[in-house]
Each structure stands twice: as structure tokens, then as C-alpha cells.
Amino acid sequence: MEELRARQIADAVKGKLIRGSAEEVAKDVCIDSRNAKNGDLFCAMVGEFNDGHKFMKAAYDNGCRMMLISKEEMAETVPEDCALVLVGDAMYALQELSAWYIARFNMKKIAVTGSVGKTTTRDMIYAILRRGFNAGTSKANLNSETGMPLTLLSFDSSMQAVVIEMGMDALGQISRLTEIARPDVAVITNIGYSHLEKLGTRENIFKAKMEIVEGFDKSKFLVANADDDMLATIDKNKVAYKIIRAGKAEDADVRVSAVENLGQDGIAFDLVCGGESHRVKLKIMGEHNALNAALAAAACKSIGMNFDDIISGLQDIEMTGSRLRFVEAGEVNIIDDAYNAAPESMISALKTLVKSEGKRKIAVLAGMNELGAVSEDSHRRVGREAAKLDLDLMITIGNDASIIAEAAVSEGMERGKMLHFDSRDALADVINDYLKAGDLVLLKASRSYELEKLIDSIKK
């Protein structure tokens, strides 16, 4: 973050400086007192379970000399040299500060959302942007109503283009994020079933994701998955903005075809755009990533990047977190794809497993969360697909994954090739009893299962 003075922050959030120097400087922002350091602005947010005001003294002790607070009576908990800006709500003030801050810069902003694939697509876009611009990106999973503002505040005036991830679990959230960031290009990876438990229908998920184009005019672009049935309903003749469609569909503006799964060596595919066609080979695993690459290419093409830079950028991607990464664990190799899961990505990961090198192919699967009414059908679908693949062993964990096992058996998988455990920890205690030298193990589940913790057990 570029340096901001207390008076600037107070003006930006329409707050009142009730204590300290108007010239006090903040060089970064934090919302967790444990991570506070010298030069930070501490935002004392009030949540369902925690009240940041209780940690003002801890933030001060860690070096913070400026804070956003909403409870004036808590001012007495920190020494008088701490600049305090009083606001109605610290989270809203953080959002307003980030909106004011980012609006000062002349940079292209690409926003990415979608049910699955948004972080990978974001990483791909960033890899491409770096070929033509001084670029910035969201870090880790900072894509929420608090996380995205922190992302925006991490950018600076030297950046010419940035990519921002937007997440949601309710209607209206992306609307607010879009109002704050005001992107030039929006990317929607797909309309899947994640968050169905909270939003009820795919139509509501579609409505929530489409909030990303609120305020768009003819100068703005929406990059949409050409293979998604709901995104296909957007009529380009009835919207104010421009639409670029990317995918396998014949009429896609940026099209992928001849996708080849190379297992642990990655994927290869033809990428066609504007009359140009290139055979692309990426080091990242998973057939579904060909579509993510097309979406990233389309987004960067919309802001004027050339095809050569797009291709070279894609080939230089660095993935965030546990997403189809290859890990060596002694005499066993692991495909760690434990960051998140949906039916399509789980099936794709299983296909990658069987295409990769290994004496035995072992899948360790736990549940897929937030699928609502389609949860059972989605888990059964994965089980049916797993039964068609040449797996040597499938280990399932928890109640939801037991449905995967049941469906695999009904589709013909041998029971002798299956094991089930009630919890990750129960498996961790004995997993090495079932592994042999040369095995290749896939870890795949929703984030809450933290299957990546099995890696340490396998390494022992």
C-alpha cells in the first residue's frame, strides 16, 4: 500500500479523527492483531464471534499507531499517541477506503468469479499480464467482502494492470465488490452447484455471479464460459457491454480443441483466437484447465495483449495452493488437489490420476460441500465415473464420500479395491499400511477436509 495519512483516511471513509496526529502515516492494513506490525492501520471489525476492539491494545503493542474503530468508548484502551478514526462500521469503512484508494490509479482491472476455477483462472491471467504490464493480483483467497478490499489496498500506482478475485455465498455480495473495485473486464468461469445449499437454485447462483457486470457500459467486457448452459442465455444484443465467449463450443470467440491429458506432465490443446491457432502445452494438470486457459486468454486479449505474450504467459504460470500439484513423499508420489472440489473438478482429477505414471493409482476422496439438494446426486455421479477408470484403490472419507463408494460399487467397481474411513485422522493413522513404493496417490475434497494434512503422514 502507498503511504496514507490519518487525515486522508478519515476523509476517504467519512470518519472523524478523534485522537492522534492527522499526519500519522499508515503503510499497510491489517484486520488481525496477531499479524499487526509497525506502520499498519488496524481495522477493529465487529463480527459474529469476535470484536476487534478487544484486540486494539494487542495491535498497538505490535506496532500499530493508527486504527479504524466504531466504539468510541474503546479509545481509552490504547495510548494517546495512537491515531483513531471513528466510523459507523469498520468493515464498511475498510471497503470505502479501498474503493477510494484504487480509484486514484490509472490501471486496467480484471475481475474473476465463478463456481469453480476462479483462482486458477486468476493465476493464469496474472501470469499473462506480467508479460506486458507491471501487474498485481489477489493473494491467496482474499476474495471476500473483507479480503478483496485488502487486495486492492496492496496495489500501488506503479501497476498498470491487476486481476482481482471475487467470491460470494449470498446474493448482493458481488454487487458490493463490483461497486468497490469497478473492473474493466469481468470473467465468469461457470455457473455450477457450489453454494447451492445457501442460494437454493442455479438460477440464483447465476443471478449472484452476474452482479459482476453491474454498471458496465460499452467500454467494458464480459468474458464468459461458452460451454456453460446458463451463461449461454446472455444475449449480446440486449446488454450494454461487450461479450467474449471462451470454451470448446464451435462458435466460441476464443476456442480450445484437441485437449490432451498428459497426466503429471500437464495438458496440451489447440488455442484458437482471431484467426490464429497455437498448440499449447501447460505444466499444470487437469483437462479442465484448458477451459480456464481460454478464459484467461480472452480476458487478456480484451485489454490488447498479443497472442505470443498470452501463450508465453500461460506457460509460465504459478498455481496458488493445493491445486493439482505434484508432491514427492519418499517412495510415494502425491497429486495434491485438496484445495476445493466440485463434481467436474473431481472427475477431471481422477482422469489425471489414471493418465499419470505410477505403479498403482490410488484415489483418496472426501466430500464436496455446499451442493444443497444436488449433493447426493453429485457424489453418485463421481462414483459412477470413478468406476469407469482403472483405479487400483479408492479410499473414501466421511459420510458424503461413502455415497461415492456406493455408486462406484453399483457401477461395477470391485469392493476389494475400496476402503472407507469415518475421518481423515482415522486414515492418517494407518494410511502407510496401504501404500507401496511407486504408488501415485490423489488427494481430492472440499477445503474443510484439509486432506493435504495426509501428506505429512505419508512422508513419515
Side-chain angles (χ1 to χ4, degrees), residues 306-347:
N306 64 60
F307 215 34
D308 288 340
D309 283 344
I310 288 171
I311 301 303
S312 61
L314 284 171
Q315 292 172 334
D316 196 34
I317 183 176
E318 295 178 7
M319 302 286 280
T320 297
S322 298
R323 290 176 173 84
L324 282 172
R325 67 185 181 109
F326 194 78
V327 180
E328 294 182 358
E331 295 182 312
V332 174
N333 291 321
I334 299 168
I335 297 175
D336 175 15
D337 196 21
Y339 186 82
N340 220 331
E344 293 78 11
S345 64
M346 191 169 275
I347 292 167

Side-chain angles (χ1 to χ4, degrees), residues 271-273 276-278 301 305-312:
L271 184 63
V272 183
C273 177
E276 295 183 71
S277 178
H278 284 264
K301 189 76 172 173
M305 295 195 70
N306 64 60
F307 215 34
D308 288 340
D309 283 344
I310 288 171
I311 301 303
S312 61

Side-chain angles (χ1 to χ4, degrees), residues 369-387:
N369 296 337
E370 298 184 330
L371 295 175
V374 302
S375 180
E376 181 173 343
D377 287 345
S378 296
H379 286 88
R380 289 194 181 282
R381 178 185 163 202
V382 171
R384 290 192 296 269
E385 292 298 319

